[in-house]
Amino acid sequence: MKSFLTSVFALVLLTAHAQKQPGYWQQRIDYAMEVSMNVEDFTYKGSSTVKYTNHSPDTLNRVFFHLYFNAFRPGSDMDARLQSISDPDNRMVTENKESRISVLSEDEMGYLEVTQITQNQGAPLKTSHEETILVVDLQTPLLPQSSTTLSLDFEGQVPLQIRRSGRNSEEGVALSMSQWYPKMVEYDHEGWHDYPYIAREFHGVWGDFDVKLTLDKSYTVAATGYLQNADEIGHGYSDEEVRIRKNQKNLTWHFKADNVHDFMWAADPEYVHDKLVTADEVTLHFFYKHKPVLAENWKNLQSKTEEAMSFFNEHVGKYPYKQYSVVQGGDGGMEYAMATLITGDRPFPSLVGVMVHELAHSWFQHVLATNEGKHSWMDEGFTSYISSLCMNSLMGRNQEHPYAGSYRGYYALVESKMEEPQTTHSDRYDKNFAYSIAAYSKGSVFLAQLGYIIGKDALVKTLKRYYTDYQFTHPAPNDFIRTAEKVSGAHLGWYLNDFTKTTKTIDYAIESVKPGSTGAAIELKRLGGIGMPIDLVVSLNDGSQHHYYIPLTEMRAEKPNEHELARTVLSDWSWAQQRYAFEIPHTLESIKSIAIDPSTRMADIDQSNNVFSQ
Ligand SMILES: [Zn+2]
């Protein structure tokens, strides 16, 4: 019943969207998988029946699947990249900075091989394994608006945990199973997104998953999706006592998840499994290994998870599923459908921080589902922004500028001279450092600074409308900026172009303050490549403050006054004019100081010239 309601809800959303954007289409896939895992040697075998529906206007002769585990073999693209990048991910290299993939033995490496694939139960199809991508030539071309059924048999080995997924994590979790099955590559109006798995990150096709996992009965399984046979399983899923026959070796776990674009699971014989049903009737599951301090933190984490979920429901939009699982596993924090894998042995604030960040991804990475490889800043950046706000509220921090850390990161990146535009594919940055800051920090600055440009209230409305209009559609940067334009009435294409597609920076200066004809004459100068509207505050010796606003011509709009005090709107300043002179009705002697954007939401890379004081 729960699953049924979820899919009806999703269908309504998709239909609603189709009315908003004429011509929009997306592919559809439904998976039915049966997999058995050998917990002794970490090999597994499975079969998958996928119904793939082509909503594109194109006839498809080929389809592609991701086979991510093949990245964890010596000599793979991921291994090569690890050896050539100057600042490799610490988790993936030894103390001597050697690639951990390069030294994996036959029984430690990962692999995933499709041993047979047929179309509509016909003869085996011609395939080519190209490391992490499987190329499949269809026997019958797939016409627009038609479906085909592909049946796959596959075999894999879970690699030693090196990145995101794998066996025997550093914290001793046996199985962190993400990126583990042959996963259909997304095809959209831009074509196939068949990126090899080098480092990061993901993009997928929405569909319904029906997954049966068979493994040793002592293991507790956490997974994307609703467990269908809790009364045969127990393990904390059922309140009934479940009797498992003594001579029965395995259990088969049956999960269903509707309208998700990925399926993750994790398993360990020592998991503690707690549940909490929120006021909104979402069941939160927690899986962790028992250790004294860790267990206490994980108990305290549970109410924080409920609070965080209601924060995001209120500030972004309603979480559309009825379940979410916080699972100890993996190597840091990584978001998946209806679940996250996080390392668990952390101080409490760090544990809450990683849960909040990964949970926030459910809205951006999963429900909106921007292509994470192409537009990582929209996923990591927006997630970072909303997580900062959530942490500020959840931990009672009361910071005026909760995203200040993102600004500091961005300024450090500019100073390093290693910045690359945010349009860079996340695998193509020269440095991991440049990727991280561009995606997380600068992405968060993009939103916080948008609040400066269009005003706080318009930013709040933009985020909510963006979520409502674009959920389950893989929005791209232009979709977001158009939403902000419609909400605010301002033209914002210049902001998207200059801030995300170039490494140009913002730097305004108070050039001079002199006696004027009646008051003081001020000259401002644009030193950076990006133009901005200017908030300017004049503080007088008598303690009063006077707000001025210089609209940017290209915006064709003025943001509403954000202050309680009245504001004087000066004439427009257009980007090409480097200088801007104006007079204020206060004498030079009466002025204590003048400051450009005292809120520091404008990411001005040199703030020393933003202030005049005497
Ligand atoms: Zn993230």
Side-chain angles (χ1 to χ4, degrees):
M1 191 61 185
K2 279 177 180 170
S3 321
F4 172 73
L5 282 175
T6 316
S7 60
V8 167
F9 182 58
L11 199 69
V12 168
L13 292 170
L14 286 174
T15 317
H17 177 82
Q19 291 166 346
K20 288 191 178 98
Q21 276 192 323
Y24 174 84
W25 54 268
Q26 67 174 245
Q27 304 296 74
R28 175 87 192 168
I29 193 157
D30 297 306
Y31 293 84
M33 290 195 270
E34 290 190 24
V35 179
S36 62
M37 170 66 68
N38 180 337
V39 298
E40 305 293 321
D41 64 4
F42 298 99
T43 59
Y44 59 104
K45 279 189 177 177
S47 64
S48 173
T49 304
V50 301
K51 185 180 170 208
Y52 185 56
T53 306
N54 180 16
H55 289 136
S56 84
D58 313 314
T59 297
L60 303 178
N61 294 299
R62 281 180 144 187
V63 296
F64 302 81
F65 286 85
H66 295 281
L67 304 174
Y68 294 112
F69 273 180
N70 293 333
F72 300 99
R73 303 174 69 118
S76 69
D77 284 358
M78 188 183 267
D79 185 18
R81 175 70 170 162
L82 207 46
Q83 298 192 37
S84 65
I85 198 161
S86 62
D87 61 341
D89 185 324
N90 276 336
R91 292 167 289 199
M92 301 173 74
V93 291
T94 64
E95 276 174 17
N96 308 327
K97 299 277 171 211
E98 251 175 353
S99 154
R100 288 179 57 210
I101 298 176
S102 70
V103 294
L104 289 174
S105 63
E106 281 280 330
D107 58 359
E108 292 171 333
M109 67 176 63
Y111 64 78
L112 180 57
E113 191 185 340
V114 173
T115 51
Q116 178 166 291
I117 177 165
T118 61
Q119 182 181 13
N120 300 329
Q121 292 169 339
L125 299 177
K126 194 172 150 267
T127 61
S128 155
H129 278 78
E130 297 177 1
E131 196 178 285
T132 55
I133 296 291
L134 178 75
V135 184
V136 180
D137 289 321
L138 296 177
Q139 200 161 40
T140 315
L142 183 56
L143 300 176
Q145 308 310 326
S146 65
S147 296
T148 194
T149 299
L150 302 171
S151 305
L152 295 76
D153 293 326
F154 56 91
E155 290 178 11
Q157 177 166 286
V158 187
L160 213 59
Q161 168 101 41
I162 290 189
R163 188 70 185 99
R164 295 193 181 96
S165 51
R167 72 208 215 201
N168 302 329
S169 76
E170 210 162 59
E171 294 186 346
V173 173
L175 286 161
S176 300
M177 296 295 287
S178 54
Q179 299 91 37
W180 61 277
Y181 62 95
K183 178 180 167 184
M184 179 66 84
V185 170
E186 179 65 297
Y187 180 75
D188 62 19
H189 71 285
E190 295 179 326
W192 288 101
H193 295 272
D194 55 333
Y195 319 121
Y197 188 32
I198 295 172
R200 55 177 82 89
E201 264 188 15
F202 309 106
H203 193 43
V205 191
W206 274 289
D208 298 344
F209 283 70
D210 183 310
V211 180
K212 288 182 179 149
L213 300 170
T214 300
L215 72 164
D216 186 284
K217 67 180 176 190
S218 66
Y219 282 63
T220 299
V221 178
T224 295
Y226 311 101
L227 184 63
Q228 303 295 302
N229 57 340
D231 292 343
E232 295 167 23
I233 294 287
H235 284 273
Y237 282 92
S238 172
D239 299 329
E240 308 290 310
E241 203 192 319
V242 178
R243 294 179 58 185
I244 297 164
R245 289 193 318 277
K246 259 205 167 139
N247 60 354
Q248 183 180 340
K249 193 175 176 312
N250 293 321
L251 281 175
T252 296
W253 301 63
H254 184 193
F255 291 97
K256 279 189 179 181
D258 286 351
N259 221 36
V260 291
H261 59 69
D262 201 3
F263 190 98
M264 180 279 286
W265 60 283
D268 193 276
E270 292 170 358
Y271 268 151
V272 179
H273 176 196
D274 293 333
K275 275 189 298 192
L276 179 132
V277 180
T278 70
D280 291 341
E281 294 190 348
V282 174
T283 304
L284 304 176
H285 294 263
F286 299 86
F287 300 87
Y288 53 97
K289 300 199 47 147
H290 190 82
K291 267 176 73 177
V293 178
L294 185 148
E296 192 191 325
N297 285 343
W298 276 72
K299 292 280 179 206
N300 294 332
L301 181 69
Q302 299 171 16
S303 61
K304 292 286 182 204
T305 310
E306 176 173 12
E307 281 178 57
M309 185 170 266
S310 68
F311 184 93
F312 299 134
N313 279 336
E314 191 189 326
H315 291 89
V316 188
K318 187 135 179 57
Y319 178 74
Y321 304 103
K322 284 289 168 198
Q323 183 178 300
Y324 189 80
S325 301
V326 184
V327 186
Q328 186 184 3
D331 58 4
M334 185 65 200
E335 67 278 7
Y336 296 104
M338 300 164 73
T340 179
L341 280 176
I342 62 175
T343 47
D345 206 352
R346 302 160 172 262
F348 188 62
S350 160
L351 186 65
V352 176
V354 70
M355 172 277 292
V356 162
H357 179 93
E358 305 311 333
L359 176 64
H361 268 301
S362 294
W363 281 255
F364 298 102
Q365 177 266 355
H366 203 78
V367 176
L368 287 159
T370 295
N371 183 330
E372 293 176 276
K374 283 192 71 180
H375 314 298
S376 52
W377 61 276
M378 293 180 73
D379 171 44
E380 295 298 353
F382 291 15
T383 295
S384 298
Y385 171 80
I386 205 73
S387 319
S388 305
L389 295 185
C390 180
M391 283 299 279
N392 200 34
S393 152
L394 227 60
M395 306 303 268
R397 291 179 178 163
N398 293 319
Q399 291 163 323
E400 175 129 353
H401 200 342
Y403 24 74
S406 297
Y407 281 72
R408 282 195 296 276
Y410 168 60
Y411 296 143
L413 176 63
V414 171
E415 200 158 306
S416 75
K417 306 257 189 287
M418 292 172 199
E419 188 184 3
E420 295 180 53
Q422 288 170 306
T423 47
T424 309
H425 187 281
S426 44
D427 277 325
R428 296 285 200 268
Y429 283 86
D430 287 340
K431 299 246 179 205
N432 280 325
F433 162 75
Y435 156 77
S436 299
I437 306 282
Y440 291 74
S441 307
K442 195 181 177 187
S444 166
V445 169
F446 176 89
L447 267 192
Q449 180 167 254
L450 182 63
Y452 168 79
I453 296 170
I454 62 176
K456 266 181 253 166
D457 294 347
L459 174 64
V460 167
K461 283 187 198 136
T462 296
L463 210 51
K464 288 181 181 177
R465 179 153 171 198
Y466 171 58
Y467 183 72
T468 306
D469 286 359
Y470 288 100
Q471 51 187 253
F472 298 106
T473 69
H474 300 308
N478 198 55
D479 297 321
F480 178 77
I481 212 70
R482 289 292 293 130
T483 306
E485 288 190 335
K486 287 174 197 173
V487 168
S488 66
H491 291 190
L492 296 164
W494 59 273
Y495 181 49
L496 185 69
N497 282 320
D498 292 350
F499 201 67
T500 72
K501 300 180 187 176
T502 77
T503 55
K504 291 181 194 300
T505 52
I506 298 159
D507 184 14
Y508 278 91
I510 299 176
E511 189 77 338
S512 65
V513 183
K514 291 179 186 149
S517 52
T518 53
I522 302 175
E523 190 174 74
L524 305 182
K525 191 172 180 193
R526 175 178 62 75
L527 300 168
I530 303 181
M532 285 294 245
I534 299 296
D535 281 346
L536 189 107
V537 178
V538 178
S539 303
L540 300 183
N541 289 322
D542 67 7
S544 63
Q545 283 199 327
H546 301 268
H547 290 253
Y548 293 89
Y549 175 67
I550 307 170
L552 178 71
T553 313
E554 287 79 358
M555 274 174 67
R556 315 281 171 219
E558 293 158 17
K559 77 167 161 184
N561 186 6
E562 295 181 282
H563 311 281
E564 283 162 23
L565 292 172
R567 172 184 79 168
T568 306
V569 178
L570 302 169
S571 58
D572 286 13
W573 185 357
S574 82
W575 173 83
Q577 306 288 336
Q578 273 195 294
R579 288 167 193 279
Y580 183 91
F582 63 106
E583 278 208 23
I584 54 173
H586 318 290
T587 61
L588 186 56
E589 297 72 37
S590 70
I591 296 171
K592 188 174 170 218
S593 64
I594 303 173
I596 294 173
D597 178 36
S599 79
T600 64
R601 288 173 301 165
M602 183 171 86
D604 188 311
I605 58 157
D606 179 5
Q607 312 232 340
S608 66
N609 54 17
N610 288 23
V611 180
F612 162 86
S613 57
Q614 58 180 11

